[in-house]
Amino acid sequence: MQLVQTSRDTLLKPLSVVAGIVERRHTLPILANILLRKEGERVSFIATDLEVQITTHADFGVGPETAATTVAARKLVDILRALPGSDEVRFTQKDNKLTVQAAKSRFALQTLAATEYPTLAQPEKWDVSLSLPQKTLRHLFNMVHFAMAQQDIRYYLNGMLLVFEPGQVRAVATDGHRLAHCATGADGIEARQEVIVPRKTVLEMQRLLDDSDTPVQVDVAAGQIRFRFGDIELVSKLVEGKFPDFTRVIPTSYTRHFTVNRELLLGSLQRAAILTTDKFKGVRLQLSDNLLKISATNAEQEEAQEELDVDYTHEALDVGFNVTYLLDVLSNVKTETVRWSVMPDSNASALITLPDDEQFKYVVMPMRI
């Protein structure tokens, strides 16, 4: 039975979207496959790793029949990428094989039964439903994702907290050493609800979202979140656990502030970081009258020194930070300047905010140098 006929590029686009979450190593062989469903002209491609599931839809099915099968995701995408862009591609299913044909090229791929494919069951009722422009949701994720933990034994830190409140959505991430917070206005939320979205889901959404005003429908239920936009649907399990109380971490009483050019500070820290090591990423920041000195040393007695003019008129402060935590925030925010707030205590955290975005807050703990 012929399933699909269309140009290579038209076929590759939805397949590339879903193939992104397919892991190379699996305990279940069928999870290396994607599920192809055809109902008349409507074709769906589904991929899952049992935690996240992505579905894309397109209209290039051939004939009125209904059919479904699964085929190796990586092989199929690699074959399509290797074909000439101008070729018309046909998928045909017979017995346990999916045949891919284009011009004088022909590939017969082994399939597994569609009935064996473990798709995620979705709830009948969602507790929270709202719509946000793609660029708004993307901005929310971009502003905090870098503070998520990676493979922390406190599994609830390996993700992003989304707080749905009447009138707004907050995004928070922390690895225990730094915390990023951002918020945006949102309509349609009746009651407060907190959920932790897994790290993989956040990174996948950043890959899929663009800077358009196209709406994203966000739905939340017990243990699950769903994002729908364009021809894409992403469903993810949520992380169970209690996220730390971020409101206690964000300082509210700091009175010493200075602004600094983001690119100049980023460049100075990048140069100083060259002399740090993988084991010790510490840099020293010394603040005095309108001057910020940045220095770094290593076990070989090498030293880097940088100086920046800043509008700091308080008493001198000498404090150390992990340079990676500072580089992360300065690389991800795109404003001309950043506002830095400190306390006259080298053991107190620093608060970094943006002059034109009062919803963004980044707290970073100091380290001993």
Side-chain angles (χ1 to χ4, degrees):
M1 180 198 301
Q2 191 167 336
L3 303 178
V4 167
Q5 182 167 340
T6 188
S7 69
R8 185 205 72 158
D9 291 348
T10 307
L11 195 51
L12 199 50
K13 187 178 177 184
L15 275 169
S16 299
V17 167
V18 298
I21 65 161
V22 176
E23 302 281 1
R24 293 194 180 275
R25 292 196 182 97
H26 271 301
T27 49
L28 288 174
I30 200 164
L31 290 180
N33 286 14
I34 53 168
L35 173 61
L36 189 162
R37 278 187 184 146
K38 173 190 169 304
E39 295 175 5
E41 286 188 3
R42 193 70 165 163
V43 178
S44 303
F45 298 106
I46 303 171
T48 185
D49 63 359
L50 299 182
E51 300 294 323
V52 185
Q53 177 175 300
I54 302 181
T55 306
T56 55
H57 304 281
D59 293 315
F60 41 57
V62 177
E65 300 88 358
T66 297
T69 189
T70 79
V71 65
R74 301 279 179 194
K75 285 179 188 172
L76 186 58
V77 170
D78 287 347
I79 287 168
L80 290 171
R81 283 181 179 151
L83 290 170
S86 57
D87 280 0
E88 188 90 350
V89 180
R90 292 191 304 280
F91 287 0
T92 310
Q93 183 186 11
K94 188 176 181 182
D95 300 328
N96 295 325
K97 295 281 177 69
L98 180 78
T99 302
V100 180
Q101 285 179 283
K104 295 184 179 180
S105 302
R106 183 178 175 278
F107 304 85
L109 301 177
Q110 195 67 44
T111 62
L112 293 171
T115 52
E116 301 297 316
Y117 201 79
T119 54
L120 294 181
Q122 295 185 32
E124 291 182 13
K125 183 178 178 295
W126 298 88
D127 302 327
V128 177
S129 291
L130 67 145
S131 179
L132 289 171
Q134 280 200 50
K135 64 181 182 184
T136 303
L137 189 59
R138 190 172 189 239
H139 172 76
L140 205 57
F141 286 170
N142 285 351
M143 295 299 271
V144 304
H145 78 278
F146 50 87
M148 292 187 293
Q150 296 186 51
Q151 298 178 324
D152 197 296
I153 55 169
R154 296 164 295 179
Y155 56 90
Y156 49 84
L157 298 185
N158 301 318
M160 181 184 293
L161 177 72
L162 290 181
V163 184
F164 300 95
E165 299 169 314
Q168 73 170 356
V169 180
R170 299 177 192 246
V172 186
T174 181
D175 60 6
H177 304 287
R178 35 74 180 273
L179 178 144
H181 168 283
C182 195
T184 186
D187 297 324
I189 304 170
E190 295 178 2
R192 179 185 167 94
Q193 182 157 340
E194 295 187 2
V195 299
I196 306 172
V197 181
R199 177 185 176 84
K200 181 172 182 177
T201 303
V202 173
L203 299 180
E204 199 60 37
M205 284 297 294
Q206 285 181 283
R207 182 177 75 89
L208 297 173
L209 292 169
D210 58 35
D211 282 322
S212 71
D213 289 312
T214 311
V216 181
Q217 179 67 31
V218 184
D219 302 300
V220 181
Q224 205 170 88
I225 190 165
R226 180 176 70 183
F227 302 95
R228 289 179 295 165
F229 50 103
D231 289 319
I232 299 171
E233 176 185 282
L234 186 149
V235 181
S236 171
K237 290 184 178 178
L238 295 168
V239 179
E240 294 181 9
K242 178 65 178 167
F243 203 82
D245 183 358
F246 62 91
T247 58
R248 294 175 58 189
V249 178
I250 300 171
T252 55
S253 58
Y254 283 15
T255 55
R256 302 182 176 202
H257 318 285
F258 64 92
T259 54
V260 58
N261 182 283
R262 181 186 68 86
E263 288 195 358
L264 291 179
L265 179 57
L266 178 60
S268 294
L269 288 168
Q270 285 172 332
R271 290 188 291 274
I274 294 168
L275 293 193
T276 61
T277 62
D278 289 339
K279 288 185 178 178
F280 187 74
K281 286 286 183 186
V283 292
R284 188 176 181 182
L285 274 61
Q286 293 167 288
L287 281 160
S288 55
D289 288 337
N290 295 316
L291 188 67
L292 169 61
K293 289 184 180 179
I294 300 167
S295 58
T297 57
N298 59 29
E300 282 87 49
Q301 309 289 298
E302 296 170 330
E303 186 177 5
Q305 283 199 341
E306 294 275 339
E307 290 188 359
L308 284 172
D309 295 325
V310 294
D311 57 346
Y312 183 82
T313 54
H314 309 286
E315 66 186 72
L317 179 65
D318 189 340
V319 62
F321 292 104
N322 182 319
V323 71
T324 304
Y325 298 159
L326 302 180
L327 292 174
D328 280 348
V329 65
L330 295 171
S331 300
N332 280 278
V333 302
K334 300 303 179 189
T335 53
E336 185 179 340
T337 60
V338 294
R339 189 171 189 246
W340 202 298
S341 303
V342 295
M343 285 282 275
D345 177 1
S346 60
N347 294 317
S349 59
L351 173 64
I352 297 173
T353 54
L354 306 178
D356 59 350
D357 185 356
E358 62 182 31
Q359 297 291 1
F360 176 77
K361 297 175 177 68
Y362 185 72
V363 183
V364 57
M365 297 297 292
M367 67 185 296
R368 293 191 182 279
I369 298 294

